[in-house]
Amino acid sequence: MLATAATYSVAPAMAAGDLNVICSADVVICEQLQGDFEAKHDIKVNMVRLSSGESYAKIRAESRNPKTDIWWGGTGDPHLQAASENLTQEYKSEKLADLHEWAQKQAESSGFKTVGVYAGALGWGYNTEIFKDKGLAEPACWADLLKPELKAEIQVANPNSSGTAYTALASLVQIMGEDEAFDYLKELNNNVSQYTKSGSAPVKAAARGETGLGIVFMHDAIAQAASGFPVKAIAPCEGTGYEIGSMSIVKGARNLDNAKVWYDWALSPEVQSRMKEAKSFQLPSNKAAEVPPEAPKFEDIKLIDYDFTTYGNPDTRKSLLERWDREIGAIAN
């Protein structure tokens, strides 16, 4: 299908006015992006930080009168859902050819309504001091998280609000099969002390010594270790899913030209190479961007062939979340 001329137009490097951004990453990353962008552009950024699920819900609720121009970061599944529901709009950046294949595929699969900005594998981070003091063995596999000695030692986010937790849910379904995955989650619930709102909150709690282990993206665990906390990141032995953190322009954006300026800027190697300074250890999507040495490398992890199209589909997502609410949320500790 031929794109319209507007789709391919390149926004001016400098533009005046405002830009309304939802950022679905850690607040430190969001603040760094905002500051760096405003330092180089005559554009005032009005930013809110929301988890992926909350961001999708906000954009959907405001679809008749959009208040957001661009949505940066967060797991790709809700971005793909927003694209399939026509909540976001097509845009082909001039930087697209500079990106890794996985980021380009994310764009192609959405009809160029979203694009990959970073990637990261799912796993967990555990507090090595707590495990040593309690004589707990390092959990190497998903199966290990069910051991009775880990009762009340695990935190994971709620998949309704957290893209991280939805990725975990969808990954387990793909690894085990749906019924088996829900049986696993019911058993895991015995060891879960809290279902958090934010995806990175569980490993931050583990870093502070409030829980033993958090199921998170591995780069979030590494960020805690890089901050000096006794946290070790683990990739599960059976295999694991991964996220393609994404970026989308909201359909009906009031500041469309400025949104395109941000979009192109955020895909540049200079911007993506700066992420490590905010203790962000994802894999950047631009091939020329510097990869932090601490970043978990995909080639070192047993990754599943995560089906982004299926699990970013609104019907699939709705079905899994409703089943989670019925079978896990209803019995959650």
Side-chain angles (χ1 to χ4, degrees), residues 16 63 67 73 75 80 98 126 226 250-251:
S63 60
K67 296 178 174 60
T75 52
L80 290 171
D98 301 335
Y126 73 94
V250 174
K251 186 177 182 182

Side-chain angles (χ1 to χ4, degrees), residues 122-124 141-146 156-157 159 164-189 192 195 215 236 238-242 304 306-307 311 320 324 328:
L122 183 74
W124 50 82
C141 306
W142 288 111
D144 294 337
L145 301 188
L146 302 181
V156 62
T164 304
Y166 180 76
T167 301
L169 172 58
S171 296
L172 290 168
V173 168
Q174 290 171 79
I175 292 166
M176 302 175 180
E178 185 172 327
D179 290 342
E180 294 83 354
F182 275 91
D183 288 342
Y184 173 89
L185 289 168
K186 287 173 196 170
E187 198 170 343
L188 180 69
N189 180 68
V192 173
Y195 293 94
I215 299 173
E238 301 96 334
T240 193
Y242 62 101
I304 64 171
Y306 191 99
D307 188 345
Y311 291 91
L320 285 178
W324 189 92
I328 312 302

